[in-house]
Amino acid sequence: MKKTGSFCAAIEYLLSEEYGFNVSKAEMASKYEVTTGTISRKVNEMFSYIEEYGMGGETDELMVLNGPGTPKDKAEALLHKAREASSAKRRVQLAKTVLEVYPDSSDAYLILAEESDNESDARAYLKAGIAAGERELGEQFFEKNKGDFWGLQETRPYIRICKSYAESCWFGGNTQEAAQTLEHMLELNTEDNTGARYLLAAVYLYSNQLEQAAQLMTKYGKGGASTAFAYDQIILEYKKNGITSQLNKLYSVARGMNKHVPDYLLGLKRLPHNLPDFVGMGDSNEAIEYVIMHSRLWASMPDLLKWMLKQ
C-alpha cells in the first residue's frame, strides 16, 4: 500500500457513517492526504471482503480449526458457515477447508459440485462425494441399515449426493449410470423420502425398459396418485401401443392431477431456469418441477407432443 492513510481514511469514513457523523470523503481526503477516489476504492474493497468472508472473516475459520472437537465436529461447523456464506468463492473455500480437516464429507463435495461451472467437474465432485460417504458410513453400516437409510440422520448427506449424481448423469446423457444410482437409493431407502422413484420411472421409459417402469409405478403408486406417474402413464401407453383411445382417458386423469403440465410441456408457458424451492400438489411449481426433470424424456417423443397439442 503506497499510502497507509488511504486505509485509515476509509475506516474513519465508514465508522463516521455507521455512527451518524456528518463527514464527507473530501474532508477525509484532506485529513489523510489522499484522493476521494482512493477512499472510494478502499471502501469498496472492504465491502467486498465482508461480502465474501463475513464480518468475522477468516478469524472465525481459524477459531473453528484451532478450537476443541473432533475433525468431524469442526467439519460440521465449517459446513454451517459455508451454507450461510453469500459468496460462491467463500463457499468453495470453506468446502475445501472442510475436506482438508475431514476428507469423508459428502456435503463438502456437494457444495463444490453445486458451485462448479463445468458439468464434468461437478459430476466428478459428486462421484467423489459418494465415495466419501461410503468410507464414512462403512460397509457394515450399509449391510445393517439397508432399507431404512433416511430414518437415520447420518445417512442423509449420502442419499442427497447420490440423488444429485443421478440427476447429473440423467441430464448428461448417462442413463445407465443414473438408473443404477437411483436403484441403489431405493434399495437403501425403500420408503423413498427423496422421490428417487419419479426420476427412475423417467429413466426406464426413456431407455424403453417398459416392464420395469410399469412395475415401479405399480409399486409406488398404490398409496395415491401422483402428477409424475399420471403423466408417465401416458408415455407408457404410447410406447406400448401408440396413439390409442386409452391415451385420452389417461390424459384426462393427468390433467385432473395437474392442469399446468401441458402448458409447460408445449411451450405455452416459459419455464424458469431453476427448480422451484417449494412445490404444492396440483400447482404450477409442481408442473415446472415435473417438466424440467422429464424434459429429456418428452423431447424424445415429438409425435406424442403433437397429439397433446391437439387435445
Side-chain angles (χ1 to χ4, degrees), residues 120-257:
S120 178
D121 291 344
R123 199 172 300 125
Y125 281 131
L126 292 171
K127 197 162 188 176
I130 291 174
E134 290 170 351
R135 290 195 304 270
E136 180 181 47
L137 295 173
E139 189 175 339
Q140 289 185 346
F141 185 95
F142 278 84
E143 293 174 1
K144 180 181 177 181
N145 298 290
K146 185 177 180 180
D148 302 309
F149 252 48
W150 193 255
L152 304 167
Q153 193 73 28
E154 61 267 38
T155 67
R156 295 187 179 184
Y158 180 76
I159 292 291
R160 283 195 296 267
I161 203 162
C162 281
K163 189 178 183 189
S164 291
Y165 179 67
E167 290 172 354
S168 178
C169 290
W170 164 243
F171 288 116
N174 192 341
T175 52
Q176 183 178 359
E177 187 80 1
Q180 290 174 354
T181 304
L182 293 163
E183 288 166 352
H184 175 60
M185 288 176 64
L186 290 178
E187 288 175 0
L188 295 176
N189 178 37
T190 54
E191 291 297 316
D192 189 28
N193 306 78
T194 60
R197 59 190 180 273
Y198 300 121
L199 183 56
L200 183 57
V203 174
Y204 281 154
L205 289 168
Y206 183 85
S207 306
N208 289 318
Q209 296 174 268
L210 304 185
E211 191 60 38
Q212 290 93 324
Q215 290 174 1
L216 184 73
M217 287 190 275
T218 298
K219 178 180 178 180
Y220 284 101
K222 292 178 181 178
S226 70
T227 291
F229 282 174
Y231 280 93
D232 286 353
Q233 287 287 356
I234 298 173
I235 299 172
L236 182 62
E237 171 64 19
Y238 171 74
K239 288 214 169 206
K240 280 185 172 181
N241 305 308
I243 303 295
T244 66
S245 58
Q246 180 65 12
L247 285 185
N248 293 304
K249 296 177 183 177
L250 293 172
Y251 184 61
S252 177
V253 171
R255 276 189 60 83
M257 293 293 299

Side-chain angles (χ1 to χ4, degrees), residues 255-277:
R255 276 189 60 83
M257 293 293 299
N258 192 310
K259 64 181 182 180
H260 304 286
V261 170
D263 289 341
Y264 289 107
L265 271 177
L266 299 169
L268 303 176
K269 288 184 179 178
R270 184 177 294 180
L271 284 167
H273 293 295
N274 299 310
L275 290 169
D277 293 326

